[in-house]
Amino acid sequence: MGLLAQDDPSLLDNEVLDEFRIPFGDWMDQAVDWIATELDTALDIIVWPFDVLIDFLVRGVLEEVSWVFVVLAMGLIAALVRNIRVAVFVMVALTVCGLLGNAYWVETARTIGFIGVAVFFCVLIGIPLGVLAGRFDGVWQTIRPVLDAMQVVHSFVYMLPVIFFWGIGEVSATMVTMVFAIPPLIRLTNLGIRQVPEDVVEASRAYGASEIRVLTDVQLPLARPAIMTGINQTLLLAISMLGIAAIMGAGGLGRLMFRALSNQDVSLAASSGLAFFLVAVVLDRISQREDGDGGSLLSRIAAAWAHRRDPEALLADEADTDADAAADTAPTPAVRFAEVSSGERTAGIVTGVGSLVAIVALVLPWTIDAGKFSAFGRRADESLNGDSFNGLSASGGSWFGFIILALAAFTLLAVFTGLGRPGRGARWLAADGAAIASISVFVLALVHLISSAAPNSEPGTGIGVYLAVAGGALATAGSIWWMIQGPYSALRPLSPNISWARYGLVVFAALVLLGAAFSGWSFDGRTDVVLSPEIEAQIAELRQQAEDEPDRAGPIAAELSSLMASARSSDTIVTDGLSSDGSRLGLWTLLIGALALAAALPAVGALGRDEHRQWMWSTINAGIGASIMMVTSAWVMTQVRTADPNYVSGIGSFLALVGGFVIVASSMGVLSEFRRSRVYEDIAVDEPAEQSSPDVELVGAPG
């Protein structure tokens, strides 16, 4: 008898493989069935902590507590773990997530809870394993191949048994995320323990410290930078798994993005993508080391992904960066900042007076008889019967007023700090920061004054607007005078060449503003706008048919709904930034952008190489860019505050925001180099005091 029967396929046929099939899949199926039936108690024990923590943190706290308290709590955590600057950013970013809508906030809270639970279990398991691996070679040799397998094998492979045992949902997604994200923490904890100098460890043992004391008082403190880097890398990898978690049925922003992709919903994709990005940046900033702020979120996630098998390489890069930073920040003895001159003090006082005038203007009337900007989106504001509204009222200055209030208050703080503690306050509480804010105040008030009103309204202009323009102009003049008088200098010499690359950025921003001017600044889909007389006649006819034929009321109602939906989708009124039917904010932002093109020439050194002059014009250019951003933000937020349903701001406002941001970014390279000049006192060391008096030199003051 041969190896195969006569009717069996030849060994050369591929079909013969079915005759010798190894039943590996059947074996695994049998194993899964046995585990599910015989080890159900063990499976329940494993899943219990995940289920309890997710149920408590996500469903019991984050979804039930007011969004305000969640934002404040996250800001408090950021302040305790990092600093006030990071805390402010965290609260602003999460507030933006909330302002996208309640549905987005709920998913944002779920995302924070989901990532928090996953990283918590990674820390709970990863750090002890890393410590054991760092102290015992046998443990490291045992778990190292397991870590390699966890990172090499695709997450879909170990996602399947998790789904088999525990089903789909947030618990299973948390487990898969933990498996994928935990290896860098174990590896870096192991490396941190092993990199503690052996002589330090031996010295502690020689002084009689127990092994527990050696670990807690010597090795863990010295390994802290590596452990914190491991936690940050684990967090970044957990964030990158949110898409997989959405496929597994977990909630959060990943689910919204997955739904947007499935339905090709651009609006949902954009909003959920923005919220996802902000949450990712917030969590990344909170988990970073104090000196590890470099790099964008995308670059950091890319680095974490690229080094998921060798995260130790990340520590080498950070060590080089820390060494360079330490060299740059080496203390210089006997240093003080230049004193405030009388001319500088006078200029600062003028700036402060202008800011106070702008603040006082906000409590005076801004609009009379109608809303200036609110009437575009709210019918009730087209005629308000002789009423007057101040700069903070919804029908008055609205968000133009709120932003002016914030900028003027910042300018006042900069004046008090710059004159009272010159050089010792926060970076932007100085002459250039005051100038940027003052320019924005002046432009905001001026744009509110000269912009067009809604077609069906005739608002009067109150004294408050004129006073705000005057105050902004006075503060702008005073802050520029302050910069001329103030001794500010570059930390490092600026490039001797003309920076045409920076000018190219401003040109690009101007092109973006040009596109913004021709784009839609408002989309009006309100029923009384989109329903033409013909459509209204059809609607009236259908309603009459429904009354005459009650038995056909259902089909007629469906036809009526379809007609109205079609009218809204096809007849939405789009108003661009140049149209006389709109506010013409596109025109004004475009003209302001043209001023940025002119101011950029001396800022990049095209009209002279004087560094102080480049700094001044770069500050003015940054103020112009910031004012464009503030104008468009005020327009958008005013409509968010007051507009009727189906009236929204358009893509033109977003493009203008981008253009203003690019103009500001083009100046940051120069502004970041300038600080108040310092006075260096050269004191001889180990010399008799009577030999010489200290030599005092003012370094870097403008000529």
Side-chain angles (χ1 to χ4, degrees):
M1 178 180 289
L3 181 63
L4 294 174
Q6 186 174 359
D7 295 335
D8 290 338
S10 169
L11 285 174
L12 300 180
D13 293 336
N14 291 340
E15 295 179 359
V16 75
L17 297 176
D18 289 334
E19 301 293 335
F20 298 97
R21 181 176 60 88
I22 299 175
F24 182 78
D26 296 330
W27 298 341
M28 294 299 101
D29 185 42
Q30 295 165 14
V32 169
D33 290 340
W34 183 85
I35 293 174
T37 56
E38 301 296 333
L39 300 180
D40 55 334
T41 303
L43 296 178
D44 291 340
I45 293 175
I46 293 174
V47 79
W48 178 79
F50 293 90
D51 198 12
V52 169
L53 194 55
I54 289 176
D55 186 67
F56 168 75
L57 182 61
V58 179
R59 303 183 188 93
V61 177
L62 293 176
E63 290 185 8
E64 298 296 330
V65 175
S66 169
W67 71 277
V68 175
F69 295 118
V70 175
V71 170
L72 293 176
M74 293 295 292
L76 179 60
I77 293 173
L80 295 176
V81 175
R82 295 297 309 282
N83 51 53
I84 296 297
R85 178 173 57 86
V86 175
V88 172
F89 167 76
V90 166
M91 291 189 290
V92 171
L94 292 181
T95 300
V96 172
C97 293
L99 294 178
L100 291 174
N102 180 60
Y104 293 96
W105 173 254
V106 171
E107 300 300 343
T108 296
R110 289 173 179 169
T111 301
I112 294 174
F114 170 70
I115 293 296
V117 171
V119 174
F120 171 77
F121 282 112
C122 286
V123 171
L124 190 65
I125 297 174
I127 292 181
L129 276 179
V131 170
L132 290 175
R135 289 179 61 90
F136 303 102
D137 292 338
V139 175
W140 173 238
Q141 296 300 326
T142 301
I143 67 173
R144 184 175 182 179
V146 179
L147 297 178
D148 293 338
M150 292 165 66
Q151 294 174 300
V152 172
V153 176
H154 197 279
S155 58
F156 280 7
V157 175
Y158 47 79
M159 185 170 69
L160 292 175
V162 171
I163 293 177
F164 289 151
F165 294 138
W166 295 288
I168 61 174
E170 294 175 340
V171 173
S172 299
T174 303
M175 292 180 176
V176 173
T177 300
M178 189 191 73
V179 172
F180 180 79
I182 197 173
L185 180 56
I186 298 176
R187 289 180 181 274
L188 289 173
T189 302
N190 163 70
L191 182 65
I193 295 295
R194 291 179 180 271
Q195 284 185 337
V196 174
E198 188 63 28
D199 54 349
V200 176
V201 176
E202 292 301 328
S204 62
R205 288 171 177 161
Y207 279 99
S210 63
E211 289 301 316
I212 295 297
R213 293 291 301 277
V214 170
L215 175 63
T216 57
D217 294 350
V218 178
Q219 291 179 313
L220 285 179
L222 294 178
R224 181 178 177 274
I227 295 173
M228 294 304 300
T229 301
I231 294 175
N232 182 250
Q233 297 301 301
T234 292
L235 176 65
L236 294 176
L237 291 179
I239 291 172
S240 68
M241 282 289 289
L242 285 177
I244 303 298
I247 296 176
M248 296 183 65
L253 295 169
R255 178 167 62 183
L256 292 184
M257 293 191 293
F258 183 68
R259 184 190 305 164
L261 180 63
S262 302
N263 299 333
Q264 298 184 2
D265 190 334
V266 176
S267 176
L268 178 60
S271 297
S272 59
L274 174 62
F276 179 87
F277 173 77
L278 292 175
V279 170
V281 174
V282 163
L283 296 177
D284 176 51
R285 289 294 181 263
I286 291 177
S287 66
Q288 285 184 42
R289 290 167 49 198
E290 194 68 27
D291 52 359
D293 288 338
S296 65
L297 173 69
L298 295 180
S299 65
R300 293 173 60 78
I301 290 180
W305 186 273
H307 293 285
R308 62 187 184 277
R309 290 199 62 189
D310 59 338
E312 298 88 349
L314 296 169
L315 285 182
D317 297 337
E318 291 190 6
D320 295 339
T321 303
D322 294 344
D324 295 340
D328 293 339
T329 58
T332 303
V335 177
R336 58 183 175 85
F337 292 97
E339 299 293 335
V340 177
S341 64
S342 59
E344 191 179 1
R345 190 175 301 279
T346 302
I349 293 174
V350 171
T351 304
V353 170
S355 300
L356 282 174
V357 170
I359 292 175
V360 171
L362 296 175
V363 301
L364 300 176
W366 275 52
T367 59
I368 303 170
D369 298 331
K372 182 66 175 287
F373 287 101
S374 59
F376 283 99
R378 185 162 66 180
R379 293 289 184 219
D381 282 18
E382 293 178 354
S383 178
L384 294 171
N385 301 322
D387 294 332
S388 62
F389 304 91
N390 64 29
L392 302 178
S393 300
S395 301
S398 193
W399 273 91
F400 283 82
F402 283 115
I403 296 177
I404 287 175
L405 176 63
L407 292 172
F410 175 86
T411 304
L412 281 175
L413 183 60
V415 169
F416 284 117
T417 304
L419 299 183
R421 301 176 64 249
R424 294 177 177 83
R427 162 64 185 91
W428 294 107
L429 295 179
D432 48 4
I436 293 172
S438 299
I439 292 172
S440 299
V441 169
F442 171 67
V443 172
L444 269 170
L446 183 62
V447 167
H448 193 284
L449 176 65
I450 64 178
S451 294
S452 302
N456 298 324
S457 66
E458 296 180 359
T461 302
I463 186 63
V465 180
Y466 295 102
L467 196 61
V469 172
L474 184 63
T476 299
S479 60
I480 294 176
W481 183 17
W482 185 3
M483 287 194 296
I484 294 174
Q485 297 290 323
Y488 289 83
S489 57
L491 300 175
R492 290 178 289 269
L494 301 181
S495 172
N497 302 318
I498 298 175
S499 181
W500 292 115
R502 287 180 53 209
Y503 195 77
L505 282 177
V506 182
V507 172
F508 171 75
L511 294 176
V512 172
L513 293 173
L514 180 63
F518 287 96
S519 300
W521 279 70
S522 65
F523 286 70
D524 193 349
R526 291 173 290 185
T527 304
D528 59 340
V529 173
V530 302
L531 296 183
S532 63
E534 293 80 6
I535 296 177
E536 289 182 346
Q538 295 180 35
I539 292 174
E541 182 180 353
L542 289 172
R543 287 175 175 169
Q544 185 62 42
Q545 289 181 13
E547 293 179 2
D548 297 340
E549 305 176 41
D551 56 328
R552 296 188 61 243
I556 293 175
E559 185 178 354
L560 182 63
S561 299
S562 175
L563 178 63
M564 296 180 67
S566 176
R568 291 192 184 97
S569 62
S570 60
D571 295 332
T572 298
I573 305 301
V574 181
T575 306
D576 62 37
L578 304 176
S579 174
S580 59
D581 293 333
S583 60
R584 291 192 173 181
L585 289 180
L587 172 63
W588 305 128
T589 54
L590 181 60
L591 293 178
I592 298 170
L595 293 178
L597 281 174
L601 287 173
V604 302
L607 303 183
R609 303 301 303 138
D610 182 80
E611 292 187 348
H612 193 264
R613 182 187 303 163
Q614 289 187 62
W615 167 66
M616 287 182 54
W617 282 103
S618 295
T619 302
I620 294 173
N621 213 36
I624 292 173
S627 65
I628 294 175
M629 296 177 65
M630 296 301 105
V631 167
T632 52
S633 298
W635 163 257
V636 171
M637 295 307 298
T638 295
Q639 300 311 319
V640 169
R641 182 185 184 186
T642 62
D644 296 328
N646 298 324
Y647 186 97
V648 295
S649 55
I651 186 64
S653 54
F654 173 74
L655 292 176
L657 274 173
V658 173
F661 175 80
V662 173
I663 294 174
V664 174
S666 69
S667 301
M668 284 298 103
V670 172
L671 297 183
S672 62
E673 290 292 336
F674 272 77
R675 301 289 190 278
R676 189 170 187 85
S677 299
R678 300 184 180 187
V679 176
Y680 291 82
E681 300 178 357
D682 298 329
I683 302 177
V685 181
D686 296 332
E687 294 288 343
E690 64 274 14
Q691 284 188 0
S692 62
S693 60
D695 296 327
V696 179
E697 178 184 4
L698 180 63
V699 177

